Amino acid sequence: MAAPLHGIIGYPITPFADDGIDTAVLSAVIDRLVDAGVHAIAPLGSTGELAYLNEREFDTVVDASVAAVAGRLPVLVGVSDLTTATTVRRARYAAQAGADAVMVAPVSYWKLSELEITTHYAAVSGAVDIDIVAYNNPATSGVDMSPELLVGMFEDIEHVTMVKESTGDLTRMLRIAELSDGRLPFFNGSNPLVLDALRAGAAGWCTAAPNLRAKPCLDLYTAVTAGDLDAAQALYDDLKPLLTFIVAGGLATTVKAGLELLGVPAGAPRRPLLPLDESGRAELRSLLG
C-alpha cells in the first residue's frame, strides 16, 4: 500500500438475496460508509458473516466491495478460514481483485502451536504482495496470539505489518507498542475499549458502528488525535450504550437490524444467527435516536 491504514475502518454487513449476495444493497451500504467519511472499508469481517459464506459468495463480496469503493479508500478484506489452503486462496483472490490489505485470524478447532500459527501466516505472506493485518480475536477464532508472538511475526514475516487486537485487554496493546518500539501499528477491535485504545496510541478503530452512527465515531477519533480528551470522553459516553449493545447482541444481527430501522434493506443474518427480536429492536431504536 502507498500508506498504512489509519483511522476509522468501517465494516459493512453482507446482505443476502435468494440466490446469494445482494450486491446492490452491499454497494449502497459501502457508499453510506464512504460518504460518511470513514478512512477505509473492511468487508468480510465478523460483521460481514465471513464464517457463513461459501467460496463463490466470498468472491462475489470481494468483487462487489472493491467495485463499490472504486479506489476512493483503502480496502481491507477478511480472508480467514479453518484451513491454510482456503485462507491462501482467499488472500490471493482479494489481492488480484484490488484489495490493499487482507486480515487474517488463525481460526482453529484444535489448539495451534506458535509454530503452526507462524507457518500459517508465512504461507499467506508468500502468496500475496500486499499487507497482512494479524487479527487476534480468541473469542471467535479459538486462537489467542500473545503480543510477543505478534511482534515476532511482524519482525520475521514480510507482509505482516499491522495488528487488530480484539481481546479488550489494553495491556496487550501497550505491550505490542513496547516490544516493537512503536513500529508495529495496532488497531482496536473491541468497541467498548475504543477511547482507552486510541489514547494509548492505537492507529485506528476497526468497527461496524459507523453503519449506524458514523459522525460520533469519526468525531471521537478526531478529538483524540487533536488532543481534545474532554470532547472525546463526551463522545464516548454518548456512544458507549450503542457499542455495548451491538457487541452483546452480535454484530451481524444488531447492525443489520439497525440498518433496517434506518431504512436500509439489510435483511436478516444467515442461520444459525437469528434476526433481532422485537424487544431488542425497540431498545436499538431508542439508541439510534
Side-chain angles (χ1 to χ4, degrees):
M1 284 191 316
L5 294 172
H6 75 282
I8 304 299
I9 315 299
Y11 281 63
I13 52 97
T14 298
F16 298 111
D18 291 340
D19 58 350
I21 307 300
D22 191 328
T23 56
V25 173
L26 175 58
S27 296
V29 168
I30 289 173
D31 278 339
R32 289 179 82 253
L33 289 169
V34 174
D35 291 345
V38 300
H39 300 99
I41 298 293
L44 297 167
S46 301
T47 307
E49 300 177 73
L50 171 61
Y52 304 136
L53 304 186
N54 61 38
E55 295 309 287
R56 179 179 58 81
E57 291 170 331
F58 172 90
D59 294 353
T60 298
V61 172
V62 171
D63 291 339
S65 298
V66 171
V69 174
R72 293 176 288 174
L73 296 175
V75 177
L76 167 64
V77 174
V79 299
S80 308
D81 185 68
L82 277 166
T83 69
T84 299
T86 300
T87 305
V88 166
R89 190 210 75 82
R90 290 176 170 181
R92 282 178 171 153
Y93 191 92
Q96 291 166 0
D100 298 281
V102 292
M103 182 172 65
V104 179
V107 185
S108 186
Y109 177 90
W110 300 104
K111 180 179 174 61
L112 299 180
S113 69
E114 289 195 354
L115 177 59
E116 288 168 329
I117 294 169
T118 56
T119 302
H120 181 71
Y121 278 93
V124 178
S125 180
V128 299
D129 195 26
I130 58 175
D131 288 346
I132 297 169
V133 176
Y135 179 22
N136 189 44
N137 190 354
T140 56
S141 72
V143 177
D144 192 359
M145 296 184 287
S146 69
E148 289 78 8
L149 175 59
L150 291 164
V151 173
M153 292 197 298
F154 166 67
E155 292 173 341
D156 296 337
I157 300 175
E158 180 181 6
H159 297 300
V160 175
T161 60
M162 293 168 277
V163 168
K164 177 184 174 185
E165 171 56 60
S166 295
T167 59
D169 182 352
L170 184 65
T171 63
R172 289 174 177 246
M173 298 182 189
L174 297 174
R175 183 63 173 157
I176 288 169
E178 177 187 11
L179 290 170
S180 69
D181 294 324
R183 294 176 298 119
L184 175 54
F186 61 90
F187 290 78
N188 174 60
S190 172
N191 282 305
L193 189 68
V194 56
L195 179 56
D196 288 340
L198 291 174
R199 291 177 63 178
W205 177 19
C206 299
T207 178
N211 287 284
L212 306 181
R213 293 192 64 197
K215 188 176 187 303
C217 295
L218 291 155
D219 288 348
L220 172 59
Y221 175 76
T222 299
V224 174
T225 56
D228 189 348
L229 298 184
D230 289 340
Q233 184 69 58
L235 287 159
Y236 174 74
D237 291 343
D238 176 57
L239 273 171
K240 186 177 178 181
L242 175 65
L243 300 179
T244 302
F245 180 88
I246 63 175
V247 171
L251 292 173
T253 295
T254 56
V255 174
K256 282 188 168 181
L259 284 169
E260 291 277 350
L261 291 172
L262 294 171
V264 179
R270 177 165 281 178
R271 291 193 176 186
L273 301 180
L274 293 174
L276 192 63
D277 62 24
E278 285 305 314
S279 64
R281 288 172 66 88
E283 182 176 355
L284 180 54
R285 187 180 289 109
S286 70
L287 293 172
L288 295 177

